[in-house]
């Protein structure tokens, strides 16, 4: 499908002119997504910035174009904010990440969600952004990045408890069905608008890794395998529906990416059979930029799926320095001993700005790292 063996996950550092608007969003809950009517000049600046970043992507050889996620505040919640039936709120606390010194680091707090009416994915703002992006991309491929359905369900049910007496959805089963239907409605509109590739981003899997100290195992949960099966089934329901529409359906998995910090550990090997072998995605973007992911043995779970492609996130979007080329080439060679070389791609482990603030590097350093990734891919595949 693509010419280049180097891929970007999706997000890129926002320019200061756009952040001047976006930095205000996280502190206010009296505004309504997509916030254009709340800030004079915001929509025009977003449109200008997206046009500029698409031009930069093309100039740097990126051949599956995104909007840099400039239209989002966060990698995941904006998608829910665009559903009918969702209210955005400021929570008492942000998400907990691990700081550089091993201590706690708290993210922005506008992560609260309320369900006010049955969910619907129709007429989603992401469709307007996709149409704009498609026009700018010209002949290049375009992908839209969306929060993975099972991860969204986990947040709404396990963490936010948005079901039960007095709620819109009386049970978790009703909530699950409503959420899946909303995703399907969005995919209908996406396909109708000319969409070809959708990428579901997901930080859920590591909760099932026994070597992750923050996993479900650490809480002594029973029925952990059944829970994993339930989450895989949610993702597959959405993925299979996308396939029925003729879409290419990809997924990206990492352990959290916020201001150059991570949220979790846990290797892929313990969860590979379930989350690589059983999920129906066409392409997996996986994180291997450091030792937390373990070795590449997890790729063996995909040997029986010759139609699947893997994007190896061997490079880091969290650091300002260029990556260790010898390490990347060594791991690419190891991966090619497990899976066919022509089924593999190279990327950074995640985007450069999963949320507005972005990682701790400059735009110039970001593009230098992207250029390095392209050069490494050219060296390995040609």
């Amino acid at each position: 499908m693509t010419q280049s063996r180097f891929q970007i996950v999706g997000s890129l550092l926002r320019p200061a002119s756009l952040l001047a608007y976006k930095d205000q969003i996280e502190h206010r809950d009296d505004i309504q997504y997509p916030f254009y009517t709340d800030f004079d000049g915001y929509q025009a600046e977003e449109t200008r910035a997206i046009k500029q970043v698409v031009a930069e992507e093309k100039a740097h050889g990126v051949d599956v174009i995104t909007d840099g996620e400039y239209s989002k505040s966060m990698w995941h919640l904006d998608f829910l904010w665009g559903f009918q039936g969702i209210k955005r709120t400021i929570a008492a606390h942000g998400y907990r990440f691990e700081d550089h010194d091993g201590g706690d680091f708290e993210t922005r707090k506008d992560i609260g969600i309320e369900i006010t009416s049955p969910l619907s994915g129709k007429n989603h703002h992401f469709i307007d952004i996709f149409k704009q992006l498609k026009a700018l991309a010209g002949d290049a491929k375009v992908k839209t990045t969306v929060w993975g359905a099972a991860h969204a369900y986990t947040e709404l049910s396990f963490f936010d408890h948005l079901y039960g007496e007095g709620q819109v959805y009386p049970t978790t089963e009703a909530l699950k069905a409503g959420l899946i239907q909303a995703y399907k409605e969005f995919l209908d509109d996406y396909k109708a608008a000319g969409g070809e590739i959708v990428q579901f981003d997901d930080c859920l899997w590591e909760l099932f890794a026994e070597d992750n100290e923050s996993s479900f195992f650490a809480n002594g949960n029973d029925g952990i395998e059944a829970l994993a099966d339930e989450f895989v089934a949610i993702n597959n329901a959405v993925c299979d529906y996308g396939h029925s529409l003729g879409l290419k359906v990809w997924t990206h998995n990492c352990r959290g990416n916020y201001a150059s910090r991570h949220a979790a550990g846990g290797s892929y090997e313990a969860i590979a059979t379930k989350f690589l072998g059983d999920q129906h995605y066409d392409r997996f973007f996986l994180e291997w930029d450091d030792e937390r992911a373990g070795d590449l043995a997890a790729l063996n779970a995909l040997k029986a799926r010759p139609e699947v492609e893997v994007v190896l996130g061997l490079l880091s979007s969290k650091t300002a320095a260029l990556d260790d080329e010898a390490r990347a080439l060594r791991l690419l060679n190891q991966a090619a001993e497990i899976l066919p070389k022509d089924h593999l791609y190279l990327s950074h482990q995640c985007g450069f700005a999963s949320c507005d603030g972005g990682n701790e590097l400059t735009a110039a350093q970001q593009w230098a790292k992207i250029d390095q990734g392209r050069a490494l891919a050219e060296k390995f595949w040609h």
Side-chain angles (χ1 to χ4, degrees):
M1 173 177 285
T2 60
Q3 295 178 345
S4 174
R5 287 285 162 177
F6 174 77
Q7 301 283 286
I8 64 170
V9 172
S11 66
L12 297 165
L13 294 171
R14 279 64 148 172
S17 56
L18 186 57
L19 288 175
Y21 294 97
K22 288 184 166 291
D23 287 346
Q24 301 176 63
I25 292 172
E26 65 176 285
H27 302 292
R28 293 179 55 183
D29 59 4
D30 61 332
I31 53 180
Q32 183 67 40
Y33 178 82
F35 315 118
Y36 294 153
T37 60
D38 299 297
F39 303 101
D40 291 341
Y42 173 39
Q43 184 174 14
E45 176 55 30
E46 181 184 275
T47 299
R48 186 208 64 77
I50 290 173
K51 183 177 181 180
Q52 177 63 32
V53 80
V54 169
E56 290 177 319
E57 288 177 66
K58 290 181 178 180
H60 287 270
V62 176
D63 62 359
V64 179
I65 302 295
T66 75
D67 69 345
E69 302 190 12
Y70 284 14
S71 58
K72 297 180 182 179
S73 291
M74 290 181 274
W75 65 274
H76 59 325
L77 287 176
D78 292 63
F79 185 64
L80 285 193
W81 295 345
F83 279 174
Q84 298 169 43
I86 288 289
K87 180 182 178 182
R88 166 186 170 273
T89 66
I90 307 294
H93 302 284
Y95 298 116
R96 183 264 175 198
F97 273 61
E98 184 175 312
D99 210 343
H100 296 313
D101 62 3
D104 288 346
F105 181 89
E106 187 178 9
T107 71
R108 58 193 288 170
K109 299 178 182 179
D110 57 332
I111 63 171
I113 291 289
E114 296 177 8
I115 298 178
T116 59
S117 63
L119 300 176
S120 174
K122 295 179 180 178
N123 303 313
H124 200 290
H125 177 60
F126 277 28
I127 303 300
D128 297 329
I129 295 297
F130 167 74
K131 291 177 180 177
Q132 174 187 346
L133 181 60
K134 195 174 189 320
L136 292 171
D139 294 333
K141 295 290 185 182
V142 170
K143 69 177 179 181
T144 292
T145 57
V146 173
W147 195 10
H151 194 169
Y153 171 72
T154 303
E155 187 132 344
L156 296 178
S157 60
F158 282 77
F159 301 144
D160 294 341
H161 305 287
L162 298 180
Y163 64 91
E165 186 177 353
Q167 302 263 22
V168 172
Y169 294 105
T171 65
T172 56
E173 286 301 312
L175 173 59
K176 183 196 308 180
L179 183 66
I180 290 173
Q181 180 59 30
Y183 270 77
K184 290 180 177 180
E185 290 170 349
F186 169 78
L187 292 178
D188 284 335
D189 286 354
Y190 184 60
K191 176 64 176 180
E196 298 179 11
I197 305 167
V198 61
Q199 177 181 304
F200 290 104
D201 295 335
D202 194 339
C203 296
L204 179 68
W205 308 356
E206 284 66 44
L207 292 176
F208 293 90
E210 292 177 302
D211 52 359
N212 173 13
E213 294 180 358
S214 301
S215 75
F216 285 138
F217 284 100
N219 297 323
N221 288 329
D222 295 325
I224 196 78
E225 186 170 352
L227 191 62
D229 287 338
E230 179 182 17
F231 291 167
V232 168
I234 292 170
N235 283 341
N236 282 344
V238 175
C239 183
D240 292 348
Y241 189 75
H243 285 150
S244 76
L245 297 174
L247 296 170
K248 286 291 185 182
V249 188
W250 300 349
T251 190
H252 165 251
N253 173 262
C254 77
R255 292 158 183 77
N257 180 47
Y258 190 96
S260 292
R261 292 159 174 86
H262 65 265
S267 68
Y268 283 124
E269 188 167 7
I271 55 177
T273 300
K274 189 73 63 184
F275 288 93
L276 294 178
D278 292 352
Q279 294 196 106
H280 297 168
Y281 296 111
D282 304 303
R283 183 179 291 184
F284 290 85
F285 286 70
L286 302 175
E287 176 185 75
W288 262 295
D289 63 321
D290 62 24
E291 304 314 311
R292 284 177 300 128
D295 61 28
L296 298 178
L299 295 176
N300 284 293
L302 290 171
K303 278 187 171 180
R305 299 184 61 192
E307 77 285 0
V308 172
E309 298 171 319
V310 177
V311 185
L312 296 163
L314 306 178
L315 311 176
S316 177
S317 68
K318 295 178 178 177
T319 60
L322 294 178
D323 289 274
D324 183 340
E325 296 189 2
R327 174 186 180 274
L329 291 170
R330 181 178 73 253
L331 291 174
L332 284 170
N333 278 301
Q334 290 177 12
E337 293 176 359
I338 301 172
L339 297 176
K341 189 173 181 178
D342 62 358
H343 289 192
L344 302 175
Y345 294 81
L346 175 67
S347 74
H348 296 91
Q349 95 295 343
C350 195
F352 288 87
S354 298
C355 297
D356 282 334
N359 286 343
E360 295 173 344
L361 71 167
T362 67
Q365 290 166 333
Q366 165 190 263
W367 291 115
K369 290 172 77 74
I370 288 171
D371 290 343
Q372 181 194 35
R374 286 189 59 242
L376 277 168
E378 183 71 21
K379 183 175 183 178
F380 182 72
W381 275 278
H382 296 286

